[in-house]
Amino acid sequence: MSVARLVTRFTEGKRDGAARAGRRQFLAWLARGTLAGAGAIVVGQVLRFLSYQPASENTTIIALGQPEDYPPGVHYVRAAQTYLGRDTEGWYALDAVCTHLGCLVEPAKDGLFSCPCHGSYFHGDGRVKTGPATKPLRHLYLWVDQDGLLTVDRTREVSSTVRLLL
Ligand code: FES
């Protein structure tokens, strides 16, 4: 083997080794970066979880609007997760939160409410028609505030027969 050929082989081997070392270094850097990113995400989520503050008492009292805004019937008020109803007896507020596991019920045929999560059905007055829910939808305390707005208190449950007369 000639000297020139030996030198060529030697330099090629050196180049391969350098390329392998560079690749290894890059992969190590990539792995460290990925781990650092994942760690930052986990730490961020843990901090967010630990800093969670439940809604204050005030956010459970929600103005629904002027009585004139609601014709007779049942109207969903998203901000309050409440169905505001008005029948011949008066006004009422029905909690839209399913008593099974907390999904929001939706209007269904024949004046019923259905739960999209596990298929419970409720009568228009909140009574359970079919489970798995076993408790009726809650009727919530409803009044007119000093500004003339229908207002609901999501923390105060009332009997299903209670109506607000205006
Ligand atoms: S959450 Fe409504 S039926 Fe399960």
Side-chain angles (χ1 to χ4, degrees):
M1 191 178 288
S2 72
V3 173
R5 221 180 152 126
L6 274 175
V7 168
T8 306
R9 272 190 151 184
F10 177 73
T11 52
E12 279 175 0
K14 244 185 156 181
R15 249 186 272 134
D16 284 352
R20 249 184 265 128
R23 210 174 345 196
R24 233 180 280 129
Q25 227 172 3
F26 173 74
L27 290 174
W29 174 84
L30 189 66
R32 275 196 295 269
T34 304
L35 280 175
I41 290 171
V42 168
V43 168
Q45 291 301 317
V46 168
L47 289 176
R48 190 171 155 212
F49 174 76
L50 293 176
S51 65
Y52 172 74
Q53 296 283 318
S56 73
E57 280 296 303
N58 290 339
T59 59
T60 62
I61 296 174
I62 301 162
L64 308 178
Q66 303 279 346
E68 303 79 48
D69 297 339
Y70 297 97
V74 178
H75 306 275
Y76 182 59
V77 183
R78 186 190 182 108
Q81 296 185 331
T82 299
Y83 285 97
L84 180 64
R86 184 176 166 195
D87 58 20
T88 54
E89 308 293 314
W91 298 80
Y92 61 93
L94 192 61
D95 192 358
V97 176
C98 179
T99 54
H100 179 228
L101 290 177
C103 292
L104 296 177
V105 299
E106 301 167 345
K109 278 196 277 184
D110 302 324
L112 299 173
F113 292 102
S114 67
C115 181
C117 291
H118 309 104
S120 290
Y121 275 85
F122 299 88
H123 293 280
D125 63 0
R127 286 175 297 125
V128 175
K129 184 174 192 311
T130 58
T134 56
K135 290 184 187 169
L137 296 175
R138 298 181 321 140
H139 279 251
L140 303 172
Y141 181 64
L142 180 70
W143 75 100
V144 175
D145 72 4
Q146 72 276 6
D147 299 322
L149 300 174
L150 285 163
T151 305
V152 69
D153 184 346
R154 291 195 48 77
T155 62
R156 283 182 66 185
E157 188 173 350
V158 296
S159 160
S160 63
T161 57
V162 170
R163 294 291 183 271
L164 173 66
L165 300 175
L166 296 178

